[in-house]
Amino acid sequence: MAETKAQPQTAAPEMGPPEMWDGGVVLGSLEATPLEFWLGVETGRIVQLDDLVVSETTTPSGQPVRFYGVVDVVRKKYEGALFDSDAFRVTEGVMPADISYAAHVQVTRIDPEIFIPPHPGHRAWVVRGEEFQKALYFDRMEHRVPIGLTRTGEPVFANVDFLDGTRGAHVSVSGVSGVATKTTYATFLLYSLFHSRSLGADTVNSKALIFNVKGEDLLWLDKPNARLDEESRSEYQRLELPAGPFQSVALYAPVNRGGGAPVPDTGQRKVGVEPYLWTMREFCKDRLLRFCFAEAEDARAQLSYVITQVEHFLARLAADGDPGDPAIHMTVPADDGTPQQRALETLHDLAEALSVPGVLEGTIHAASGTLDAFRRRLFGAASRMGHLIRGDLSVASRSYAIDWQAKQVTVIDIHNLHSIGQMFVVGVVLKRLMETKELQGLARPLVFVLLDELNKYAPREGWSPIQDVILDMAERGRSLGVSLLGAQQTASEVERRVLANASIKVVGRLDHAEAERTEYGFLTKVARLRATMLQPGTMIVSQPEIPTPLLLGFPFPAWATRIAEVPSATDGPDPFERAAKDRRER
């Protein structure tokens, strides 16, 4: 039998002098396959988790084949040591042993696609620059958007085709509250989309709708961040992004309680914020009553039937009245039984009118207990978010509707609202968005919706009207040019069909128990463990064209996230007082 000679080592990839690059050789003591292999690291070299490496071998015909891969395991051990106590003997110098430094490489790309294993003993190098881009298929992405940086400063991209509906849409971001920086990263994705060349001609007309759920962090997107240092600016430069605030922003906050002139109910941000509300006629005509009952329940419950029937009844009242009258009028029996006309200006007025004996009973065929449950919950909603519905505004008053098409980015503040009020606003706005896109009949302009606490609005258990809207967005939004950027602490509590339609999945710091759930099946075993230790500003991203999840960081926000980060607020007079003075002088 003829002796098989070892193939000669191939030359280094064209990436500069070999001495400049860390690496080693493909090990022969462990199996090498087309999908994975072990790399023995040379003395004096360093190979870390998440490094991208390349090795080259040749076919029997002499054709070179390159194996690109990501390091997902790194380990060291004493060779020749059999027992744990041998480590002490080696340390004391009484027992000889060599140190084995090895890295496991998960193959991401084979070029060309000839599925043979890499040859033991052949060189492997950590890659940078163009070779790094090739290892992750970035060179094949016709439209790509920067989504972060590796530890070594290499830019990481996502394919825009999986964000704009061309081949997919939607992003799911999961992680522990306060640590995972979910909303900050989702906001950075929007910033990158709007301030890079990734959307091409669509950039100008594309819109983003952001719900501010916690604090006032997102009410400062139009202000530069005074705490942005030079290191962070250089990170934006490496991503070819400007370092600054969002350029076209509209801010909306809920109208104040207590009636009177509508003003936004905000905290520290008072200038440049518009109040929003709905008139009683809009509420009835557009059948928005269902969003006052947005808490998850059994879809088969009789209550949903009562809500639908009452909506029909109120829509008829709104159609019969004066379109210019923000209130509606209902005929109800007086104490003596005679018909009496009532003007309904508030949600409490509506609840009282529907509680008059005989009003609902004469219209809806349902059990008395179900009708009583409907009334109780309507009174509860009126006390918690009734100030958002007003019918006391004059015909000449300006519109207080949310115009999400006026600016590129529209921030809707809901953090001061009760949970019922938050669900009402989210449900109504998304319902109108989908209706508008359907009427347009076109996928352009693109609309990106950023919604935190997605598990509350689209829960896995139970049913709610908002869940229907979000499911419709997840399943049909791609064809309408609507992409959902959903953030949640626990993906395991979000409706499965919403997660299944997310093309790009992102995780920050995860709880140990949550990391083991099947919803994170896209993570490798090592990535699941690492997700429990991630620090703020670091995420693990999975996307369709890259066969392994990638760990990356993203720059410190270039826009302010609190009043202390606004330059004029930290250096000089209060900007709100100055703005008010300017208006008085004009």
Side-chain angles (χ1 to χ4, degrees):
M1 184 175 180
E3 180 181 355
T4 301
K5 296 183 179 180
Q7 296 183 15
Q9 295 181 4
T10 57
E14 296 177 2
M15 57 183 74
E19 63 269 19
M20 294 177 60
W21 303 96
D22 290 311
V25 298
V26 177
L27 291 182
S29 57
L30 297 170
E31 287 186 350
T33 75
L35 302 180
E36 60 180 348
F37 61 90
W38 282 87
L39 166 68
V41 184
E42 291 180 308
T43 303
R45 303 293 187 181
I46 294 178
V47 174
Q48 305 179 64
L49 284 176
D50 310 311
D51 278 342
L52 269 295
V53 302
V54 61
S55 182
E56 186 174 285
T57 191
T58 56
T59 65
S61 63
Q63 181 174 5
V65 179
R66 282 192 173 183
F67 299 85
Y68 297 90
V70 61
V71 175
D72 59 0
V73 176
V74 183
R75 60 100 170 132
K76 284 185 179 181
K77 69 172 186 177
Y78 279 129
E79 287 187 328
L82 298 178
F83 307 103
D84 292 342
S85 57
D86 288 344
F88 296 99
R89 299 182 180 93
V90 174
T91 303
E92 294 167 357
V94 299
M95 177 179 174
D98 290 329
I99 295 177
S100 170
Y101 180 5
H104 180 264
V105 179
Q106 185 71 44
V107 174
T108 58
R109 181 174 182 176
I110 303 175
D111 186 31
E113 290 189 343
I114 301 176
F115 289 87
I116 59 174
H119 195 76
H122 277 199
R123 300 280 299 167
W125 288 265
V126 175
V127 295
R128 300 283 190 269
E130 293 183 6
E131 289 292 318
F132 176 91
Q133 306 290 316
K134 193 171 184 179
L136 297 176
Y137 295 91
F138 296 155
D139 60 321
R140 291 187 179 181
M141 295 181 183
E142 185 177 353
H143 306 102
R144 62 185 194 177
V145 57
I147 60 173
L149 295 162
T150 66
R151 285 196 318 273
T152 57
E154 296 286 343
V156 179
F157 300 91
N159 194 335
V160 177
D161 289 351
F162 291 100
L163 287 170
D164 66 2
T166 302
R167 298 166 63 187
H170 316 308
V171 179
S172 172
V173 188
S174 304
V176 177
S177 178
V179 179
T181 55
K182 304 181 297 295
T183 307
T184 305
Y185 183 68
T187 309
F188 168 73
L189 285 181
L190 289 177
Y191 183 85
S192 186
L193 281 166
F194 292 153
H195 294 83
S196 65
R197 297 183 293 273
S198 57
L199 293 177
D202 290 327
T203 303
V204 175
N205 294 322
S206 295
K207 309 294 181 184
L209 195 56
I210 302 175
F211 291 94
N212 184 58
V213 178
K214 299 173 184 175
E216 295 188 4
D217 294 1
L218 300 176
L219 293 180
W220 307 94
L221 296 182
D222 58 334
K223 304 294 183 182
N225 195 325
R227 297 182 179 177
L228 192 69
D229 56 24
E230 289 304 316
E231 182 180 352
S232 297
R233 292 182 185 277
S234 68
E235 290 178 343
Y236 281 96
Q237 289 178 355
R238 285 199 292 273
L239 294 172
E240 298 184 358
L241 293 173
F246 286 79
Q247 297 301 309
S248 176
V249 181
L251 304 172
Y252 291 88
V255 68
N256 61 305
R257 291 178 175 271
V263 295
D265 181 14
T266 60
Q268 293 179 308
R269 181 72 195 252
K270 300 183 183 303
V271 174
V273 183
E274 297 294 330
Y276 65 81
L277 57 82
W278 288 265
T279 68
M280 178 59 72
R281 186 165 297 279
E282 284 180 304
F283 179 82
C284 297
K285 179 176 67 72
D286 296 340
R287 304 184 183 189
L288 305 182
L289 177 67
R290 68 189 67 183
F291 297 111
C292 295
F293 300 79
E295 296 179 1
E297 60 180 49
D298 190 339
R300 299 168 295 179
Q302 281 290 308
L303 189 61
S304 60
Y305 164 76
V306 173
I307 294 170
T308 302
Q309 294 303 309
V310 173
E311 282 185 335
H312 288 312
F313 171 66
L314 296 178
R316 290 195 297 270
L317 289 179
D320 293 340
D322 179 7
D325 187 354
I328 64 168
H329 301 269
M330 180 187 295
T331 301
V332 298
D335 293 338
D336 58 2
T338 58
Q340 183 183 44
Q341 189 83 351
R342 283 193 188 181
L344 307 182
E345 295 184 343
T346 67
L347 202 55
H348 190 80
D349 291 343
L350 176 62
E352 285 190 331
L354 295 179
S355 296
V356 174
V359 173
L360 286 181
E361 287 79 0
T363 307
I364 300 170
H365 301 289
S368 60
T370 303
L371 295 178
D372 289 341
F374 167 82
R375 295 185 181 104
R376 287 195 302 271
R377 293 182 65 173
L378 183 57
F379 272 112
S383 66
R384 294 179 174 92
M385 44 78 62
H387 61 291
L388 299 177
I389 314 297
R390 293 183 57 174
D392 62 337
L393 304 175
S394 66
V395 177
S397 67
R398 68 179 181 85
S399 172
Y400 294 98
I402 296 171
D403 184 5
W404 57 267
Q405 300 183 81
K407 299 285 187 178
Q408 185 170 60
V409 178
T410 301
V411 180
I412 303 173
D413 182 34
I414 60 175
H415 85 278
N416 277 334
L417 294 175
H418 185 275
S419 176
I420 293 177
Q422 291 181 347
M423 290 189 169
F424 177 83
V425 174
V426 171
V428 171
V429 172
L430 295 186
K431 174 178 179 287
R432 287 188 168 179
L433 166 64
M434 293 298 289
E435 289 173 348
T436 301
K437 293 293 291 183
E438 286 176 345
L439 288 174
Q440 291 175 348
L442 299 171
R444 300 299 190 269
L446 298 170
V447 180
F448 300 91
V449 177
L450 173 53
L451 179 60
D452 197 2
E453 297 185 0
L454 188 60
N455 53 295
K456 181 171 76 173
Y457 302 105
R460 179 158 299 186
E461 303 295 334
W463 170 90
S464 72
I466 297 179
Q467 187 182 54
D468 280 350
V469 176
I470 294 178
L471 266 175
D472 187 38
M473 181 180 297
E475 295 176 340
R476 294 196 307 123
R478 172 185 170 186
S479 62
L480 296 173
V482 179
S483 187
L484 174 65
L485 281 68
Q488 60 279 325
Q489 293 186 41
T490 51
S492 60
E493 296 180 0
V494 177
E495 164 61 46
R496 288 182 177 88
R497 287 175 289 174
V498 175
L499 294 177
N501 281 281
S503 295
I504 297 176
K505 296 179 174 63
V506 183
V507 297
R509 170 82 72 86
L510 292 178
D511 176 80
H512 283 78
E514 178 69 10
E516 295 302 319
R517 301 297 292 264
T518 57
E519 287 74 19
Y520 304 95
F522 59 91
L523 296 177
T524 62
K525 182 178 180 180
V526 173
R528 288 182 189 238
L529 179 59
R530 297 190 70 189
T532 65
M533 301 183 291
L534 294 179
Q535 297 301 309
T538 305
M539 317 297 284
I540 298 176
V541 180
S542 174
Q543 53 180 312
E545 287 185 321
I546 301 176
T548 187
L550 300 176
L551 184 139
L552 53 82
F554 61 98
F556 188 74
W559 52 93
T561 60
R562 58 181 65 90
I563 190 171
E565 294 177 347
V566 179
S568 55
T570 57
D571 304 314
D574 188 307
F576 305 135
E577 290 296 329
R578 185 170 60 252
K581 180 181 179 181
D582 291 343
R583 286 198 302 273
R584 288 193 298 269
E585 291 176 351
R586 288 197 297 268

